[in-house]
Amino acid sequence: MARKKSFSGGINSLLESTVHESGTEQNAAHGKGKQQKKIGSDSTIASFVIRTDTLEVMRALAYWERKKIKDVLEEAMQQLQTQKGDSMISKALDEYRKHIAEE
């Protein structure tokens, strides 16, 4: 729930909530926050920083194949998982889940 702003405390009280909120957004951008939005049982909305040229290629492929960008990205990740192999993916998932549990 949003915090009610106090206009009687001067400029510092006005900026206080802005500074706190931007810190939360920054943590979320670095994967430290839990500010993802679940959609459906197996999908999540997440934000990523990506190189401009990579994004342009993704958009071009999606356009060319008449697909959504999310589908092009999903296919690319499936190919990467196949390339890396089930053993490596299992190890990476185990270590990641341990790391998340420690936070």
Side-chain angles (χ1 to χ4, degrees):
M1 186 158 146
R3 194 176 103 185
K4 188 174 180 179
K5 292 189 181 348
S6 168
F7 294 102
S8 62
I11 191 76
N12 287 337
S13 67
L14 292 174
L15 295 175
E16 182 181 322
S17 63
T18 305
V19 170
H20 181 268
E21 290 168 5
S22 67
T24 302
E25 292 170 7
Q26 187 177 20
N27 285 342
H30 292 288
K32 296 177 183 172
K34 302 293 180 191
Q35 304 239 346
Q36 296 177 348
K37 182 179 178 185
K38 276 273 207 203
I39 55 170
S41 62
D42 65 345
S43 296
T44 301
I45 296 174
S47 297
F48 298 94
V49 175
I50 187 169
R51 288 179 34 174
T52 304
D53 57 337
T54 303
L55 178 60
E56 184 178 29
V57 169
M58 283 176 42
R59 288 178 171 164
L61 288 172
Y63 170 78
W64 188 255
E65 297 178 358
R66 302 301 189 259
K67 296 179 179 179
K68 295 180 179 181
I69 294 174
K70 69 177 188 164
D71 295 332
V72 171
L73 183 59
E74 186 70 32
E75 286 178 18
M77 286 304 302
Q78 288 173 355
Q79 289 178 2
L80 182 62
Q81 287 175 330
T82 300
Q83 176 188 345
K84 296 292 184 181
D86 291 340
S87 175
M88 191 257 195
I89 297 296
S90 293
K91 289 177 186 176
L93 281 170
D94 289 344
E95 287 297 315
Y96 171 72
R97 289 175 180 149
K98 284 180 198 174
H99 173 74
I100 294 299
E102 292 172 356
E103 288 182 350

